[in-house]
Amino acid sequence: MTRRMHARALAVLATGTLFLLSNTPGHTEQPATKDAAVSVTSSTFPAEGSIPAKYSCEGANISPPLSWTTLPAGTKSVALICDDPDAPAGTWVHWVLYNLPATTNALEEKLPTAASLPNGTRQGVNDFGKTGYGGPCPPPGKPHRYFFKLYALDTGLPLKPGATKQELVQAMEHHILAEGQLMGKYQRKK
């Protein structure tokens, strides 16, 4: 095979691979920039640290304070999902939050559990069947991991209050500019 034929074959292979990737269901192209990652933190627990009982079903069951770094240019709204992939029946959803204004860079402790907040933020239904935040409540045993996943979006979402995680994930498809997460752990005390 000549060099020219070899180069042409590689170009065809690369083009085919890109076509397959871009047409794979669920595949979303993300910007290849440093802005594609957002750092999410809490003043009450470190990354991979223990979530205080105050934020669990064994405590006040209120949402923890969260903050994040600057979002990329073009961000129109922010969404957040908190879930536990270690739940016995599969991933358990603890919080679904969307249409936060793009100027938001933090959530205060004890965010109201109303479906619509005054600033336009909407909350969905968690797997406890309630609107807003539902804290860690694992069965006795080893600690579970709780992922607070934040998404910077290039649009506001046409979802009514009370959406499910699945509805939010579908609505966000092809609109994620950047994302980040904070993982905390919780172990049942009783």
Side-chain angles (χ1 to χ4, degrees):
M1 183 181 278
T2 67
R3 259 190 186 176
R4 185 182 228 181
M5 290 173 64
H6 183 70
R8 190 177 209 172
L10 286 175
V12 168
L13 180 62
T15 303
T17 301
L18 287 174
F19 175 79
L20 287 173
L21 279 175
S22 64
N23 288 295
T24 301
H27 174 78
T28 56
E29 292 184 28
Q30 300 297 325
T33 67
K34 291 181 183 177
D35 290 338
V38 176
S39 175
V40 182
T41 59
S42 177
S43 58
T44 60
F45 64 93
E48 300 186 18
S50 294
I51 298 171
K54 175 181 186 178
Y55 306 109
S56 77
C57 68
E58 296 183 293
N61 204 24
I62 59 173
S63 61
L66 299 172
S67 60
W68 48 90
T69 55
T70 304
L71 302 173
T75 300
K76 300 284 191 258
S77 72
V78 178
L80 180 115
I81 295 170
C82 175
D83 55 25
D84 166 14
D86 302 321
T91 300
W92 188 267
V93 179
H94 288 265
W95 204 4
V96 177
L97 194 67
Y98 46 99
N99 285 347
L100 280 83
T103 54
T104 307
N105 64 0
L107 292 173
E108 63 188 32
E109 178 181 81
K110 195 178 179 181
L111 196 70
T113 56
S116 295
L117 301 177
N119 66 356
T121 299
R122 294 178 177 170
Q123 296 193 86
V125 176
N126 59 41
D127 281 346
F128 297 107
K130 298 183 178 178
T131 300
Y133 177 81
C137 201
K142 64 180 185 173
H144 283 211
R145 297 168 298 151
Y146 297 85
F147 290 87
F148 294 84
K149 297 175 272 191
L150 186 96
Y151 303 90
L153 307 175
D154 66 5
T155 187
L157 300 175
L159 293 173
K160 294 180 180 179
T164 64
K165 173 187 170 181
Q166 182 179 353
E167 290 169 331
L168 175 56
V169 168
Q170 287 175 340
M172 290 192 303
E173 193 171 350
H174 305 296
H175 294 290
I176 299 172
L177 296 174
E179 56 189 278
Q181 70 179 16
L182 170 66
M183 188 271 281
K185 298 176 183 176
Y186 188 78
Q187 184 172 18
R188 191 80 175 248
K189 309 289 188 269
K190 299 175 187 174

